[in-house]
Amino acid sequence: MLSIIRTLWDVFLHAFRKRVTIQYPEQKAYLSARYRGRIILSRDPEGGERCVACYLCAVACPVDCIALQATEDSTGRRYPEFFRINFSRCIFCGYCEEACPTYAIQLTPDIEMGEYSRQNMVYEKEHLLISGPGKYPDYNFWRVAGVKIGGKDKGQAEREAPPTDLRSLLP
Amino acid sequence: MATVYIDDKPYTADPAQNMLFTSLTLGFNLPYFCWHPAMGSVGACRQCAVKQFRDENDTRGKLVMACMTPAADGTRIAIHDPDATKFRAGVIEGLMTNHPHDCPVCDEGGECHLQDMTVMTGHDYRRYPYDKRTFRNQYLGPFVNQEMNRCIQCYRCVRFYREYAGGRDFNSFALRDLVFFGRHKDGVLENEFSGNLVEVCPTGVFTDATLKHHYTRKWDLQFAPSICTHCGLGCNTSPGERYGMLRRIVNRYNGEVNGYFLCDRGRYGYECVNSPQRIRQPLLRREGVAQPVSRAEALRAARELLAGKQNVIGIGSPRASLEANFALRTLVGPDHFFAGMADDEHRLLTKMIQVLRSTPARTPSLREIEQCDAVLVLGEDPTNFAPRLALALRQSVRQQPFAATDKMRIPRWLDHAVREAVQDDKGPLFIASTHATRLDDIAARTFRAAPTDIARLGFAVARALDTSAPATSMSGEAVALAAQIAQALKTAHRPLIIAGGGLNSESVIEAAANVARALDTVGKEARLSFTVPECNSMGLALMGAAPLSAAFAAVKDADAVIVLENDLGRHMPQPALREFFERAFHVIALDCLTNATTERAELVLPAGTFAESDGTLVSSEGRAQRFFQVFVPSGDIQESWRWLCDLGALRENSEMADWKELDDVIIALSNAIPALAGIVNAAPFSGLRLAGEKVPREPHRYSGRTAMHANINVSEPKPPDDPDSPLSFSMEGFPDQPPSALIPFFWTPGWNSIQSTNFYQKEIAGPLRGGDPGARLIESGASDGSGYFIRVPQAFAPREGEWLVVPAYHIFGSDEQSLHSAAIAEVAPKPYIAMNPEDAVLLALRPESLAEVKVDGSSYRVQVRVRPDMPKGIAALLVGVPPVVGVHLPAWGTLQPAQLPVEGGPERAA
Amino acid sequence: MISPYPAVTLIAVLFGALTIAGGLVWAERRLLALWQDRYGPNRVGPFGLMQTLADMIKLFFKEDWVPPFADKWVFIMAPAIVMFTVLMSFVVVPFAPGIIISDLNIAVLFFLGMSSLGVYSIVLAGWASDNKYALLGGMRAAAQMLSYEVFMGLSLMGTVLLAGSFDLVDIVNAQRHMWFVVPQFLGFVLFMIAGIAETRRLPFDLPESESELVAGFHSEYSGMKFGMFFVGEYIGILLVSSMITVLFFGGWRGPVLPPIVWYFIKTCFFLGFFILLRAALPRPRFDQLMAWGWKLMLPLSLANLLVTGAVKLAFFH
């Protein structure tokens, strides 16, 4: 019985505490760099598109809101022909970022993307692609992959021996 | 049956098999690389290691390779033994030291056997800190893409290409961990089955080069069980679609038909579906100019042409489904329905059916052909006319040597031991043809002669088997050959005679029938296989309609002509085609690709290809097989039978008014035509529900549903309904294995690659669970006593100044639709005429020069090929490649050097 | 003591009660926020005062949906009953001298009768919804309200004894010298607890208990039908607070300020107190609720009645 009265009193005293509410939008909250907000596509340190259109983000997406089509440039470098995210379906779970083998797709601390028309929530590649490397400044998938692309021949990736000379008779 | 123990539990096993086969048949997840169900064991990759124990008291055991361990009675192995598990993980780790960091950009990713096996063994981190070996890739042609860094040296590719498919221009080079698989230099792979490397390779070294242009992962494709439409064999395929575009075709295992392999025409011909030549809108020709019109306008125009008209004739097609042909027949009435085949082709097919029904010889499936141990090919070039048959024949020559290795007690699955013991020994395969074939390298004897002489050889073989058969007079050499063939067929367990439509010769069919009958007379159970030109030639012939000449006669009285999926220009020569269109004022054509007929028709309706419609095809074996719609096409394209139902509504056809779904047509068809009543068994009806659900066409990981159409409208459309089949255009539905005729794609948990086929079979490489799909429509009766064909043709006699022009085919080019596929077109030859060097000298024709060929009322300007394999007095003209279409061969024609074309003007002349 | 213009009073009371109930929704959300270190609704209008209006507009525009499996007419009737019974109780509440709709001589009994009828609304709503959660909520409500009604009536009898009348105006006037809360403190506590239970307020909101029964008896309700349950609850709180003021705290009586203001000050205090209870106390288990009702509250209220009667007999007869 006393504890109930004590509780009532304690709760009543909260009336004089400081408010924890942040008065958005006049005040903004601090969102960490790892916050799962608007999704972007980043570029590698050389400025090339990081996305290699492997479809892993699309398949990891629990709401299936990512659609893309792979294509290749004349040197064999693969990239998405189109890359579409339907943010009106996105749940910002970050699975796409976890699935991405090239750090191309990243979630950012931007959350202000409300629209009056759902159609405006559909982002194409030109809306998604940013000019920098995002959270991972150093990684370049093509430097570790074995395939040959423009500017990187066979055997020039990290930890690769030069191409085998098939005519050598040496054991 | 033997009892084997796996992880201390007893199982029954086939003692003629190995433990890997047994474990996989029983559903165990045992990793492997070098073993292939169609190619047996070589024990090269060390991946299927298990621990074997002597008996129940043995606790130490020893590591053995499951693929090299016979499933003898009492064999005890442990798959989940810690040592074996560790060993298998170690093998993978070793393989992965050189494997590039490529999966995201590798076309195999998501259906990679190496990925599956790596996950299965648990390897996840590369501890090896040193450099990876690399290779330069080769250009291997438009079909197969090479990325050699990914190789794990399992040798499957070279075993398939050289040993299974008989290719010569592919091998392993260099040594130790630097072994390279490829050609001696860059170039197009010569073998017609090179596309199977894509499926045989357990990783991404060989990938589909056509898929690369519009790459999509397996999990994102919408599949349906389909049938290849590029020849008459009816191989089962699994085409995949994404974003309204057909992306690729992979093999769909059917134990009785194509097994694990497809030919390159079947695999890469699919791009015709995406061709810019596709008719996607109705076209109405006004004052000679074809205008795209709306569906409503097209139907209004059709009403003007058809409503109330009594005399409308319909021309069917050997490449349209039975349902479409039957819908046309119902629309115009059986008397006004014509088969849409040239007379000789029609006569030939009717003869084949008559022979198959009356001769006591079974028409074998491809699997049975593989098991035949003596083969006589009469007048056919299987590689170019019915390609997958050639691969089956390559296996058939292995049958007789198996007898010797069986005696040595070498199990047949022990592949390299068998090949070592057999060396170059081959079973009897006799090829009688007008020119060299791609199977000559495995033939015991070849015989190159004119069509009539080939028929005469057949008659002679029959005579050599049974003296009551009609006699022929032949040269001593030919008589000896006939005797040798007769002897080989008589001593074989499963003799096979192959003839067919390639040579267009009725007497060759009769000769083949006589051989089969003679074999029966001497107490041998013979097999008789006929090849047919198109995917539904056999089905259309079974419908029993009159040929084109009858249609031609009927045209002038007709109010309108409806041509169903048929380019008449491919069945009649140019002058005849012109005359036809002069006589017929109103032509309605239904087709999917622009061709000579659609370019002259008054009204063209866009028909669905095999990927956009459902239907039944009858293969040359007489097997009715159903193909299902892969995707819903955009625009006005719809199935031919639906267009015909729409036209039926205009004509107030009461029977067609009740046809709402495909099953209605099938049932009406099976009731109307007794010969085709069996097609109801080809696949389950559309009402089938498994646990209350349909079979999903999409893998359960299909991605992008809520984004793929979002650029058009952010509100997702409802998935299309499919009233015609028990399949749904969805990723949701029955999650387990559907009936065998309804398997859209193969997938098992942990097995994303095509190797998951293992878990759909009753036993590995055997029939699918529930039986292989298809319903055989033609079974031979017992000998009906109708006796031998006695019309032995006259021996061939060369003529002065004239040459007998015989047809030559090419796997890439002779088929109408696959030629619209960019990759096929790239390797298709230009039209040529081949002749003997002596004839060429006589005609003053140099190799590669142009010759003017006048034959069958037409004249063609084609390249000359001088080939010593051509018999004298005979010239082989490549047919099917435009402009050489619609010509009726063999026929006598004249040849002369072509005048130089006068293009270029005076400078060129100067 | 009856108003000279009964119709005016009637309309004023009706609209007053409904407006206060609406204001109470806002006040509750603001107060709860206050005690939880938040702000509560503060965007719509000054101090967020228009929030309730916005919510009401929203409720009116929501689809008026009756589940196809529901018992349609009963489903529609149920929310009307709760509004009806609660509003009827206001007939006998004396707000100030002359501001009363009907000065019944059995006002206390009328109030008790009306509040007993209210249970029908909840039970019928739970039954008509044809939903297991709604039914469970309805059954809980029936048991809870039946049990607590018993000692609610008994706890008032002390007051009635002291005033010697069932007429609420007489009871207020009988507190001329001393508020009944002093002699009847136990009665006051018991009545307040029973009042909370009768209005199904936290901590006694077991018929709704959203964490176990979705939303209890009104799971299937939406739009303005739900709104009626919602408003009914708040008018119920207003009623119970008014009754406490009238029965134990001298009603409108107080110095300097006009009577109606005193009445409001006292009532608002109890309204605030109820909200504080909601902010502070957890919900008991249902068996605990029933045990308290029958094993603790009932004996206590009987004892209170006994002692009050004995004292009255002994000293004031």
Side-chain angles (χ1 to χ4, degrees):
Chain A
M1 189 66 201
L2 259 180
S3 72
I4 290 177
I5 291 162
R6 169 89 192 278
T7 307
L8 288 171
W9 179 243
D10 284 351
V11 170
F12 179 74
L13 286 183
H14 270 269
F16 309 105
R17 294 269 188 94
K18 191 176 168 289
R19 307 291 93 181
V20 294
T21 311
I22 294 167
Q23 290 284 8
Y24 183 84
E26 292 86 3
Q27 281 174 289
K28 305 265 190 213
Y30 168 73
L31 301 177
S32 75
R34 290 184 181 186
Y35 194 86
R36 299 198 308 260
R38 181 168 58 87
I39 298 170
I40 53 102
L41 290 173
S42 62
R43 290 178 185 273
D44 62 31
E46 273 111 89
E49 242 179 88
R50 255 184 185 153
C51 178
V52 298
C54 70
Y55 295 97
L56 284 178
C57 51
V59 74
C61 181
V63 290
D64 287 347
C65 74
I66 304 178
L68 66 151
Q69 174 59 53
T71 188
E72 278 182 5
D73 69 9
S74 55
T75 67
R77 181 176 173 130
R78 195 165 277 199
Y79 66 96
E81 188 181 342
F82 72 82
F83 195 108
R84 186 182 305 132
I85 300 182
N86 179 357
F87 278 109
S88 75
R89 288 287 188 191
C90 179
I91 57 170
F92 300 95
C93 64
Y95 282 11
C96 50
E97 183 173 4
E98 280 202 39
C100 184
T102 67
Y103 293 136
I105 196 165
Q106 296 179 14
L107 276 75
T108 63
D110 176 16
I111 52 165
E112 296 175 325
M113 46 193 310
E115 293 282 351
Y116 283 104
S117 160
R118 256 185 87 196
Q119 193 63 49
N120 295 341
M121 304 285 282
V122 179
Y123 283 40
E124 297 288 344
K125 194 167 102 175
E126 64 261 35
H127 310 124
L128 297 165
L129 191 62
I130 62 164
S131 52
K135 284 177 268 186
Y136 306 93
D138 301 325
Y139 187 71
N140 185 348
F141 169 76
W142 296 105
R143 293 273 147 232
V144 285
V147 296
K148 171 185 161 187
I149 57 158
K152 191 206 77 174
D153 199 3
K154 279 283 159 87
Q156 291 183 351
E158 288 168 21
R159 282 189 189 163
E160 270 191 359
T164 306
D165 177 9
L166 297 178
R167 287 179 169 74
S168 164
L169 289 174
L170 293 174
Chain B
M1 280 289 131
T3 304
V4 298
Y5 298 85
I6 300 174
D7 290 333
D8 284 333
K9 286 203 185 73
Y11 299 94
T12 52
D14 178 0
Q17 281 299 345
N18 58 60
M19 286 311 290
L20 178 60
F21 178 100
T22 307
S23 304
L24 292 170
T25 298
L26 292 168
F28 285 96
N29 284 337
L30 183 54
Y32 64 85
F33 288 119
C34 67
W35 178 83
H36 187 284
M39 294 190 285
S41 314
V42 288
C45 70
R46 320 312 282 170
Q47 187 57 60
C48 62
V50 292
K51 204 173 234 184
Q52 187 177 19
F53 301 95
R54 272 197 310 278
D55 49 43
E56 63 265 42
N57 301 320
D58 181 6
T59 50
R60 273 186 64 198
K62 58 174 179 179
L63 281 177
V64 296
M65 297 308 127
C67 72
M68 304 299 277
T69 308
D73 202 25
T75 306
R76 288 180 167 269
I77 61 162
I79 293 174
H80 298 297
D81 180 84
D83 289 339
T85 311
K86 204 172 150 209
F87 183 90
R88 295 195 296 261
V91 171
I92 287 272
E93 182 163 17
L95 293 174
M96 298 303 278
T97 57
N98 278 323
H99 199 70
H101 191 76
D102 267 3
C103 295
V105 290
C106 174
D107 289 358
E108 194 85 355
E111 51 178 326
C112 176
H113 189 55
L114 179 60
Q115 262 179 353
D116 291 346
M117 297 302 104
T118 307
V119 173
M120 197 177 283
T121 53
H123 170 73
D124 58 2
Y125 189 81
R126 183 178 186 257
R127 292 184 292 169
Y128 180 77
Y130 305 105
D131 287 353
K132 295 175 178 180
R133 57 111 176 86
T134 61
F135 292 104
R136 292 208 180 278
N137 299 324
Q138 286 180 330
Y139 170 74
L140 297 177
F143 297 149
V144 179
N145 187 68
Q146 190 193 35
E147 182 57 54
M148 191 53 208
N149 282 1
R150 298 169 186 157
C151 183
I152 57 166
Q153 275 85 15
C154 71
Y155 282 77
R156 264 202 204 179
C157 52
V158 72
R159 286 175 62 213
F160 170 77
Y161 197 90
R162 295 184 71 86
E163 293 166 3
Y164 195 90
R168 313 273 302 157
D169 60 326
F170 183 93
N171 214 333
S172 50
F173 300 92
L175 70 173
R176 58 181 170 92
D177 68 334
L178 303 176
V179 175
F180 181 90
F181 297 93
R183 299 183 82 246
H184 65 295
K185 61 174 188 184
D186 282 16
V188 181
L189 285 172
E190 283 165 13
N191 195 274
E192 292 80 4
F193 304 95
S194 64
N196 292 302
L197 291 179
V198 173
E199 285 178 36
V200 165
C201 176
T203 177
V205 179
F206 299 107
T207 50
D208 186 333
T210 62
L211 174 65
K212 205 174 167 63
H213 299 312
H214 38 236
Y215 182 64
T216 306
R217 298 254 179 237
K218 180 184 180 183
W219 65 62
D220 277 345
L221 290 169
Q222 176 166 272
F223 298 95
S226 193
I227 307 296
C228 181
T229 56
H230 301 302
C231 84
L233 288 175
C235 294
N236 290 202
T237 58
S238 181
E241 171 267 357
R242 177 84 177 172
Y243 302 135
M245 179 187 183
L246 201 61
R247 297 299 170 115
R248 68 157 185 197
I249 276 184
V250 291
N251 181 60
R252 179 165 66 95
Y253 181 88
N254 182 332
E256 280 299 317
V257 187
N258 47 313
Y260 290 93
F261 305 113
L262 290 178
C263 72
D264 287 356
R265 188 204 274 180
R267 186 180 298 270
Y268 298 109
Y270 72 91
E271 280 185 296
C272 62
V273 175
N274 309 327
S275 162
Q277 299 289 308
R278 274 301 294 278
I279 302 164
R280 296 186 181 274
Q281 257 188 306
L283 300 171
L284 186 59
R285 196 170 302 276
R286 292 192 182 109
E287 281 124 31
V289 186
Q291 300 283 347
V293 293
S294 70
R295 182 189 151 87
E297 260 179 285
L299 287 176
R300 214 164 25 243
R303 180 189 295 276
E304 274 170 36
L305 296 179
L306 297 177
K309 302 284 165 62
Q310 285 308 304
N311 202 352
V312 176
I313 67 166
I315 297 177
S317 166
R319 65 172 159 85
S321 67
L322 285 177
E323 289 81 353
N325 277 308
F326 181 70
L328 181 59
R329 192 181 102 133
T330 313
L331 177 70
V332 297
D335 300 337
H336 290 96
F337 175 72
F338 302 95
M341 301 190 252
D343 291 29
D344 45 1
E345 187 182 331
H346 184 265
R347 202 160 46 237
L348 219 60
L349 282 160
T350 317
K351 173 72 72 178
M352 286 180 201
I353 292 170
Q354 181 207 335
V355 165
L356 288 176
R357 284 205 177 122
S358 63
T359 310
R362 179 181 161 83
T363 162
S365 65
L366 282 174
R367 141 104 25 159
E368 289 168 83
I369 289 174
E370 283 179 5
Q371 287 160 351
C372 288
D373 53 355
V375 184
L376 169 61
V377 178
L378 274 181
E380 285 296 299
D381 178 4
T383 314
N384 288 317
F385 197 70
R388 181 64 182 79
L389 175 63
L391 195 60
L393 289 177
R394 281 200 181 270
Q395 313 319 310
S396 73
V397 298
R398 298 190 66 203
Q399 293 301 320
Q400 210 157 50
F402 273 147
T405 57
D406 285 350
K407 229 174 264 164
M408 290 182 231
R409 301 227 191 132
I410 303 173
R412 291 191 183 183
W413 48 263
L414 202 53
D415 193 54
H416 268 190
V418 170
R419 290 187 191 271
E420 204 60 34
V422 166
Q423 293 292 330
D424 277 341
D425 195 10
K426 291 188 180 68
L429 168 67
F430 301 96
I431 302 176
S433 60
T434 51
H435 51 267
T437 72
R438 299 275 287 156
L439 285 175
D440 288 357
D441 60 322
I442 52 163
R445 292 284 299 274
T446 59
F447 177 73
R448 293 195 188 116
T452 45
D453 287 347
I454 291 169
R456 287 170 67 83
L457 175 73
F459 279 103
V461 173
R463 173 76 179 189
L465 284 163
D466 177 15
T467 46
S468 61
T472 55
S473 59
M474 292 185 78
S475 70
E477 199 185 336
V479 168
L481 177 62
Q484 187 190 350
I485 295 171
Q487 184 59 29
L489 294 176
K490 201 154 58 173
T491 51
H493 296 286
R494 291 174 297 276
L496 166 69
I497 301 103
I498 290 176
L503 210 46
N504 250 338
S505 162
E506 215 175 332
S507 20
V508 172
I509 304 288
E510 291 179 352
N514 274 10
V515 178
R517 188 175 292 281
L519 278 169
D520 183 63
T521 316
V522 299
K524 270 282 161 225
E525 196 192 328
R527 285 146 189 83
L528 181 56
S529 181
F530 290 126
T531 59
V532 297
E534 305 242 23
C535 59
N536 203 18
S537 293
M538 196 58 101
L540 188 59
L542 284 168
M543 285 183 87
L548 264 182
S549 65
F552 204 79
V555 157
K556 59 176 180 291
D557 306 323
D559 296 318
V561 183
I562 303 174
V563 183
L564 167 70
E565 296 185 39
N566 197 337
D567 179 8
L568 299 174
R570 291 187 77 92
H571 295 281
M572 54 171 85
Q574 287 298 318
L577 186 71
R578 263 196 303 278
E579 204 185 327
F580 180 88
F581 277 98
E582 276 158 19
R583 285 197 201 182
F585 288 114
H586 303 299
V587 177
I588 300 177
L590 290 85
D591 217 330
C592 47
L593 289 157
T594 307
N595 58 39
T597 304
T598 62
E599 277 176 350
R600 294 180 197 194
E602 187 171 340
L603 176 64
V604 182
L605 300 175
T609 58
F610 70 94
E612 293 139 345
S613 42
D614 313 75
T616 313
L617 302 175
V618 183
S619 73
S620 57
E621 180 200 343
R623 182 181 288 266
Q625 300 184 103
R626 191 135 323 134
F627 61 96
F628 292 98
Q629 193 173 7
V630 183
F631 65 103
V632 179
S634 59
D636 293 324
I637 296 173
Q638 65 176 353
E639 300 95 322
S640 291
W641 70 265
R642 283 221 151 85
W643 276 121
L644 292 165
C645 281
D646 292 340
L647 301 185
L650 302 178
R651 281 170 65 80
E652 284 158 11
N653 187 310
S654 59
E655 194 180 342
M656 295 176 90
D658 299 333
W659 295 355
K660 298 281 177 268
E661 53 188 66
L662 187 75
D663 290 350
D664 301 332
V665 191
I666 292 172
I667 290 166
L669 166 59
S670 64
N671 290 336
I673 304 171
L676 293 170
I679 66 162
V680 294
N681 301 320
F685 280 131
S686 64
L688 178 78
R689 294 292 179 276
L690 303 157
E693 294 187 277
K694 284 190 150 197
V695 178
R697 281 181 169 87
E698 296 162 3
H700 67 284
R701 290 180 186 140
Y702 194 79
S703 80
R705 278 180 310 164
T706 63
M708 53 203 293
H709 303 293
N711 55 331
I712 302 157
N713 188 346
V714 71
S715 305
E716 292 94 35
K718 175 179 176 289
D721 284 324
D722 184 2
D724 298 325
S725 78
L727 297 147
S728 67
F729 294 105
S730 165
M731 60 198 278
E732 289 157 17
F734 185 63
D736 217 327
Q737 292 181 10
S740 59
L742 297 176
I743 300 169
F745 58 93
F746 291 100
W747 181 85
T748 313
W751 298 73
N752 299 297
S753 73
I754 194 78
Q755 311 290 328
S756 53
T757 312
N758 291 340
F759 299 92
Y760 284 75
Q761 295 157 335
K762 233 178 265 168
E763 67 169 31
I764 309 293
L768 289 166
R769 294 218 178 107
D772 285 316
R776 279 170 62 96
L777 301 180
I778 305 171
E779 295 293 352
S780 61
S783 182
D784 62 349
S786 56
Y788 289 105
F789 292 102
I790 50 164
R791 235 174 3 150
V792 182
Q794 291 298 312
F796 172 72
R799 292 189 194 168
E800 196 74 29
E802 273 196 311
W803 274 260
L804 182 67
V805 182
V806 295
Y809 302 89
H810 197 274
I811 174 171
F812 308 123
S814 292
D815 174 57
E816 177 186 354
Q817 299 212 307
S818 62
L819 197 54
H820 284 93
S821 194
I824 301 268
E826 194 179 327
V827 292
K830 296 219 158 46
Y832 66 80
I833 187 144
M835 66 190 71
N836 187 285
E838 288 175 38
D839 288 345
V841 171
L842 204 64
L843 283 162
L845 284 169
R846 286 190 314 279
E848 312 296 311
S849 67
L850 283 178
E852 179 103 20
V853 184
K854 285 206 177 80
V855 66
D856 194 26
S858 302
S859 144
Y860 306 102
R861 191 182 284 248
V862 293
Q863 215 176 36
V864 173
R865 289 197 185 176
V866 176
R867 295 207 324 218
D869 58 279
M870 295 299 305
K872 265 192 281 185
I874 294 178
L877 179 65
L878 178 65
V879 295
V881 182
V884 190
V885 293
V887 56
H888 292 185
L889 300 178
W892 291 95
T894 61
L895 291 145
Q896 64 183 75
Q899 303 302 317
L900 274 177
V902 279
E903 52 187 297
E907 310 93 82
R908 177 71 68 86
Chain C
M1 285 289 287
I2 295 285
S3 151
Y5 308 105
V8 175
T9 319
L10 183 83
I11 291 165
V13 169
L14 185 64
F15 277 84
L18 288 171
T19 313
I20 291 169
L24 202 50
V25 176
W26 170 82
E28 172 159 41
R29 293 178 64 182
R30 290 288 291 191
L31 282 174
L32 284 176
L34 185 72
W35 289 318
Q36 290 168 0
D37 300 350
R38 301 183 284 117
Y39 291 109
N42 64 350
R43 294 273 165 185
V44 191
F47 306 104
L49 267 169
M50 296 293 112
Q51 184 69 48
T52 310
L53 192 70
D55 286 347
M56 202 178 72
I57 292 169
K58 182 194 76 173
L59 280 176
F60 269 112
F61 280 96
K62 278 205 162 187
E63 188 187 357
D64 186 33
W65 192 71
V66 179
F69 45 82
D71 188 338
K72 193 177 172 199
W73 293 111
V74 181
F75 187 85
I76 293 170
M77 284 294 293
I81 294 175
V82 78
M83 286 293 282
F84 172 77
T85 56
V86 179
L87 285 173
M88 280 300 280
S89 299
F90 275 97
V91 166
V92 297
V93 176
F95 299 97
I99 310 181
I100 182 168
I101 296 165
S102 174
D103 187 7
L104 286 180
N105 58 357
I106 51 153
V108 173
L109 296 178
F110 182 82
F111 159 74
L112 289 173
M114 278 300 148
S115 81
S116 322
L117 276 180
V119 72
Y120 280 101
S121 156
I122 313 302
V123 175
L124 289 178
W127 174 258
S129 294
D130 202 3
N131 167 323
K132 61 186 168 196
Y133 297 117
L135 185 63
L136 280 171
M139 276 160 52
R140 282 186 181 186
Q144 172 182 331
M145 291 171 81
L146 223 65
S147 312
Y148 277 67
E149 224 160 55
V150 174
F151 67 83
M152 185 191 212
L154 287 173
S155 65
L156 288 183
M157 289 308 123
T159 316
V160 173
L161 267 179
L162 291 183
S165 169
F166 281 117
D167 187 330
L168 288 172
V169 177
D170 289 350
I171 291 174
V172 172
N173 287 331
Q175 298 178 64
R176 206 173 302 121
H177 305 295
M178 185 182 27
W179 292 351
F180 283 157
V181 70
V182 181
Q184 279 298 314
F185 186 75
L186 186 60
F188 156 67
V189 172
L190 291 169
F191 179 75
M192 196 171 67
I193 291 171
I196 299 164
E198 279 294 297
T199 48
R200 307 169 303 282
R201 284 282 299 177
L202 269 154
F204 296 145
D205 68 336
L206 284 102
E208 282 183 41
S209 56
E210 71 286 338
S211 51
E212 21 185 318
L213 295 184
V214 188
F217 62 92
H218 63 66
S219 297
E220 297 287 353
Y221 282 86
S222 65
M224 213 43 217
K225 291 202 199 69
F226 162 76
M228 276 154 89
F229 277 123
F230 194 66
V231 172
E233 179 183 328
Y234 282 92
I235 303 177
I237 303 165
L238 182 63
L239 177 67
V240 171
S241 301
S242 297
M243 292 307 288
I244 292 172
T245 307
V246 169
L247 292 167
F248 296 101
F249 288 86
W252 65 79
R253 308 194 79 82
V256 187
L257 295 170
I260 188 78
V261 176
W262 273 113
Y263 167 81
F264 268 112
I265 290 171
K266 292 174 187 173
T267 308
C268 284
F269 175 79
F270 289 106
L271 289 172
F273 184 69
F274 282 150
I275 294 168
L276 181 62
L277 283 179
R278 174 174 181 179
L281 297 182
R283 186 188 297 138
R285 281 202 319 267
F286 194 68
D287 64 317
Q288 291 172 333
L289 179 85
M290 297 306 278
W292 288 341
W294 290 107
K295 294 181 184 167
L296 186 66
M297 303 298 182
L298 184 64
L300 278 178
S301 58
L302 285 170
N304 179 46
L305 183 59
L306 202 68
V307 171
T308 310
V311 169
K312 174 112 184 172
L313 270 178
F315 298 103
F316 301 101
H317 205 266

